[in-house]
Every structure is written in structure tokens, then in C-alpha cells.
Amino acid sequence: MTLAACVLLSLVLSSCGTWGQDGLSIMCGFETGPAHELRKRHNLTPADLHNLSAQLIETEVETHFMSYLINISWSLSMDASIKELTATKICVMSKGTREHFECIRCNYTEKFQSQTTFGNRRWEFHYVGFPVEPETFYFISAYNLPPANIYEDSPSKSIKLTSPGCKDKVMKYSKSCTEVGSLWNPNITVCKIEAKVEVNFTTSNLGTKYTMLLRECEKCDVSVERDLVTKINETRTSVRIPVSDQSNNISVQIIPYFAGCGYDCPRHKGTLIKCVQNQSNDTKQIFFHRTELQQPVKVLVIYPKEVCFHHTVLAFAEFLHKHCQSDVIIDMWQKRRIAEQGPVQWLAIQKETADKVIFLSSNHISPECDAVCHKSIRNNKDNSECMFTLAFNLFCSDMKNMSSLHKYMLVFFNEINSKNTLPSALNTCPKYCLMKDIDIFCRDLSSAHGTNTK
């Protein structure tokens, strides 16, 4: 946040300056100590503010994620004392995981010549700049300058504001929330195998230390506790814990230890679900019910401008949905959301939520690609090229990291050859030629949720 903010009159935030005859602007900056007007006596002082209000507004921060800022609005009293008004001071005290106190001083760039604006309306001003932390109480107070003299009434206005927690649709993407695992989905599965309970969950790149609390019944006071340390590049882990044969109402809690929340991180709960056992050659294998245990694999499909959207991208998406039990994400299906969030933020969000990111090769030319298809390619050329380039640049650093490379896949629709025009960095990703490698592709895709047999 900058040390100075310019705020314009009458609900319009624009550049600082005078608005014609009745235009008036203010310049706001931080003030750490008492206002200098307190050092001397004033014969005349302005009246109190007429009204003070505040609300949270969404904004895009430097990380390209959405967050909140406090929009503070105030209106002035309509009386002759407005001619004495030079500034308004606003202080915000926050109480949450930490306490903070901060003040800004908004100087009016001109003397007020009338009690109202053009149209006989009250003067109104707005300031946007205070950042918002999750689950925090904000006490906002404001008063006009110069202030009342010593031993005189000091008029001021104050209000309270409470910010939402990390489950909020916007707040969960803030830095404070992502650091405590707001975007982490452990996808816990709990399966009883004879006198043991097998717990599987997806780990987070925020930490490697976890604690499992297993309770064999709802009314049980004693829990079985198991500490676990995972490897840095491990994405799916499994632990077996001995339990009583009679235990059928088992619940498990996973407690992570992340740097952002230490020993007070949000817990995730999993409950016991029926398992299916298959007996073969005296070897017992355990399979989870896909319909009960596994959530669909979320797949983000990125395609270059040359790929036919109707005959290639949509056909591939239908295949993923029907035969690979996947939830498919394609930019053309989320045009409105991309327009609202911007393509960079939209891609950043999909990167966090998708289990797999698939890049399609541009060397596939379908015999069905008729005039309609070529027209579609021309219409979508700029959009798909922009999205493909943005995605590649945004995800490129992950492709150089072996611990993150498993998330990316490169799909061809004919034999891989030297005519491939994709960026060279994509060559580090696992490659699949469909339909030649269909079995391997489906197996690796399903491994995003750790569904390989034990």
C-alpha cells in the first residue's frame, strides 16, 4: 500500500485535481503522531462529521489473487463551520491474531466555498487503502481538523467492522489464508482393514509434519494419536493404525503444522467408509469404492491456437469426463469468470485447485475439421494464444521443479515428431500419445488422488 492515496469526491475514484467549479479533492497519507493543530488554540472549529461508514471491497493484489480492502466513506455537516475545515483524520485499530493501530490524514486541497455540492447534496469523500486480515475486528474513528480546543467537546464518529474468515470466497485467496492452508484439500479416505484403519490423504507443500487423531466412537474420550513426517516431494501418504475389531464408527482428524499457523492450523476430518476386498492367490488387495471415496480429478486443459476447439478440445474434454471421471476446466466455458477476475488471476486460481494440468499438442489435424471448425479457430485464435502463453509462463517454474512436475501432462494425438511446435520446457512433462498410451494416461491421471491399489 502506498504512503499517499488520492481520493475524489462523490463516489468517483480518479486522479487528484479540481473538478470544475464545484470539484474538490483530498490528499491522504499516513500520520503517526498527533495532528499539529493540537498545539495551538483555534477561535473557530468545524462541526462533527455528519456520517461515517465502512465496507469491504474486493481488490486484486500483487500476487494476482483477490483480497479485501476497507472502503471508508464520510459525509460533512451542512453548516457555516465547513469553511474552517482543513482535513479529516481517520484511525483504524484492528484486533485479531495481532493488534495494529494506524491513522491517515486526508487534507482538503481547497477551502470550502459552500455548504453543499452542486445539486444541494452533502459533500462526500472516500478512502480505500487499509488492508484486511481474516477474522479481525476493526474499530474505525474519524474527526475533523482543526479539532476542538482543550476542555471543549471533541466531536468524532466511530464504527465497527468485522472481516470474514478464510472460508470466505475472496478471503481464502489472500496471502494470510493461503499460508495457513485455505486452498489445501487433503481428500482424506479412511478404510478399515480387519483390525487396522488405513488413512490416506494428500499432503501440502506448506509443511511436512502432521498429526492424526483417531477416535473409535463418537462418545470416546480417548483418541489414538499418531505423528507423521512426510517427504518434501511426497503428494499422497498412507498410514495404518491398529484398532479394535468392534470399531465401526471411526473418525479421523488430520492436524497440519504449517509455518503460517504453527500448532493452531485448521483441522480436517475424515470418516470411515466401506471397503471392498478382493481375494486372489492368497493375496488380499484393498480397493476403495470410487463412487464413495474418490472425488473427480479436476483437470485444467490448455490448448494452443492451432487446435480445433470443436473437434479436438471438446472431444477430449468429453473423453476425460466420461471415461476418466474428471471435472474438466476449459477457458471457453468460463468466459464470464475470466472477464471478472482477469486471465492471470483465473489461471492462478485454477493452478491451485486443479489436480492435473494438461497441455495439448498442436500437431493434430482432424479430417473432420471443416469450414466451421476453421472459422472457430480464427475466432478463438487470439484468446487461446493469449491463454496458452500466460499459462505456460505462469506454470513454467513448476516444470523445472521435480516435486511439482507430476501435476503436468503433455498430450499428443499422433506420433511425437520433430514438427512439434510447443515450447521446449514442456518436454520435461510426462508425454502421452492418444490413443496409443490410453491405459498409461488414464492410470497416471487417476493417480492424482492416490487411487493406485495397495
Side-chain angles (χ1 to χ4, degrees):
M1 183 171 57
T2 59
L3 294 181
C6 177
V7 190
L8 281 188
L9 169 70
S10 301
L11 300 175
V12 178
L13 301 178
S14 182
S15 60
C16 286
T18 301
W19 259 25
Q21 184 177 357
D22 292 298
L24 191 74
S25 63
I26 55 176
M27 291 293 296
C28 299
F30 292 112
E31 187 170 68
T32 56
H36 63 83
E37 288 89 347
L38 290 170
R39 300 173 184 172
K40 61 180 181 179
R41 181 176 178 80
H42 304 276
N43 294 328
L44 297 173
T45 57
D48 191 12
L49 296 172
H50 174 262
N51 184 55
L52 177 68
S53 62
Q55 62 180 352
L56 302 180
I57 61 170
E58 299 179 17
T59 183
E60 185 175 341
V61 293
E62 294 179 357
T63 58
H64 303 299
F65 285 119
M66 295 299 291
S67 186
Y68 284 120
L69 291 176
I70 301 178
N71 177 20
I72 301 175
S73 304
W74 67 95
S75 60
L76 304 181
S77 298
M78 293 190 297
D79 60 36
S81 69
I82 196 172
K83 295 182 179 181
E84 307 300 325
L85 179 61
T86 60
T88 297
K89 187 165 184 176
I90 304 171
C91 295
V92 177
M93 181 174 64
S94 60
K95 288 188 176 182
T97 54
R98 59 180 181 177
E99 293 189 5
H100 186 67
F101 183 79
E102 199 167 46
C103 294
I104 61 162
R105 177 193 177 103
C106 294
N107 293 312
Y108 300 97
T109 56
E110 298 178 25
K111 283 284 188 179
F112 288 91
Q113 302 301 320
S114 63
Q115 300 177 19
T116 60
T117 66
F118 180 78
N120 199 34
R121 299 177 58 186
R122 292 184 185 276
W123 292 98
E124 294 182 353
F125 298 88
H126 312 269
Y127 173 80
V128 179
F130 287 105
V132 177
E133 294 294 322
E135 297 185 46
T136 301
F137 296 99
Y138 292 91
F139 301 90
I140 304 169
S141 61
Y143 57 91
N144 287 330
L145 296 173
N149 296 306
I150 299 176
Y151 304 122
E152 295 179 354
D153 292 337
S154 299
S156 65
K157 288 282 190 296
S158 61
I159 54 174
K160 297 179 181 179
L161 187 67
T162 304
S163 63
C166 288
K167 292 183 179 181
D168 178 78
K169 65 178 182 178
V170 174
M171 186 62 75
K172 68 180 181 180
Y173 293 110
S174 67
K175 182 179 180 182
S176 298
C177 288
T178 55
E179 289 179 348
V180 300
S182 61
L183 300 180
W184 175 49
N185 177 19
N187 187 28
I188 304 170
T189 61
V190 185
C191 181
K192 187 177 180 184
I193 306 170
E194 295 180 349
K196 291 184 178 180
V197 165
E198 182 173 281
V199 181
N200 293 268
F201 71 96
T202 302
T203 59
S204 171
N205 58 4
L206 296 173
T208 58
K209 183 180 178 182
Y210 304 85
T211 295
M212 289 186 184
L213 293 180
L214 185 146
R215 185 166 294 182
E216 298 190 36
C217 63
E218 292 182 359
K219 298 182 179 180
C220 294
D221 295 329
V222 180
S223 300
V224 178
E225 184 173 330
R226 179 70 61 88
D227 292 327
L228 176 66
V229 177
T230 62
K231 297 178 181 179
I232 295 178
N233 60 349
E234 190 174 12
T235 58
R236 189 77 181 169
T237 191
S238 177
V239 177
R240 291 192 178 187
I241 304 174
V243 294
S244 170
D245 288 339
Q246 306 301 320
S247 301
N248 292 312
N249 194 19
I250 296 173
S251 64
V252 174
Q253 284 188 348
I254 304 294
I255 308 174
Y257 296 91
F258 301 148
C261 48
Y263 290 86
D264 193 30
C265 296
R267 302 183 179 191
H268 294 260
K269 184 178 180 180
T271 55
L272 184 67
I273 306 177
K274 182 181 179 181
C275 300
V276 177
Q277 297 184 1
N278 181 31
Q279 212 58 32
S280 176
N281 297 328
D282 296 327
T283 301
K284 183 177 293 185
Q285 295 178 311
I286 306 299
F287 297 90
F288 295 132
H289 277 300
R290 178 182 295 273
T291 56
E292 291 186 84
L293 286 179
Q294 182 174 343
Q295 298 177 356
V297 178
K298 292 184 179 180
V299 179
L300 172 63
V301 177
I302 303 295
Y303 54 95
K305 60 184 178 181
E306 298 83 4
V307 172
C308 175
F309 183 78
H310 288 284
H311 291 118
T312 303
V313 180
L314 290 184
F316 181 61
E318 183 179 6
F319 166 77
L320 291 174
H321 180 70
K322 289 185 176 180
H323 300 283
C324 302
Q325 291 78 42
S326 301
D327 284 342
V328 185
I329 305 168
I330 297 178
D331 58 345
M332 294 296 290
W333 293 346
Q334 299 196 15
K335 284 185 176 181
R336 180 176 178 181
R337 188 165 296 178
I338 294 174
E340 293 173 348
Q341 300 174 344
V344 174
Q345 181 197 338
W346 181 83
L347 281 170
I349 293 173
Q350 306 315 315
K351 176 186 175 183
E352 294 295 331
T353 59
D355 300 302
K356 290 286 186 180
V357 177
I358 297 178
F359 284 89
L360 298 184
S361 169
S362 60
N363 61 3
H364 175 60
I365 301 178
S366 171
E368 300 177 353
C369 202
D370 52 20
V372 176
C373 182
H374 285 295
K375 182 178 179 181
S376 174
I377 292 178
R378 290 194 299 270
N379 293 339
N380 298 328
K381 181 176 180 180
D382 293 338
N383 291 337
S384 59
E385 181 178 13
C386 176
M387 193 63 70
F388 184 91
T389 303
L390 285 175
F392 174 74
N393 292 332
L394 190 62
F395 305 157
C396 186
S397 60
D398 280 359
M399 298 174 192
K400 300 177 183 178
N401 189 344
M402 293 303 296
S403 63
S404 303
L405 193 59
H406 68 278
K407 186 169 184 172
Y408 301 91
M409 308 172 80
L410 182 58
V411 171
F412 297 83
F413 294 98
N414 55 19
E415 292 295 335
I416 303 174
N417 53 53
S418 59
K419 295 182 180 180
N420 177 33
T421 59
L422 293 176
S424 58
L426 289 174
N427 291 328
T428 59
C429 300
K431 303 178 184 64
Y432 307 87
C433 180
L434 302 185
M435 301 296 282
K436 175 184 175 182
D437 300 327
I438 185 65
D439 293 334
I440 300 175
F441 172 78
C442 291
R443 182 198 65 193
D444 292 350
L445 186 65
S446 65
S447 68
H449 278 325
T451 55
N452 295 336
T453 57
K454 302 294 180 184

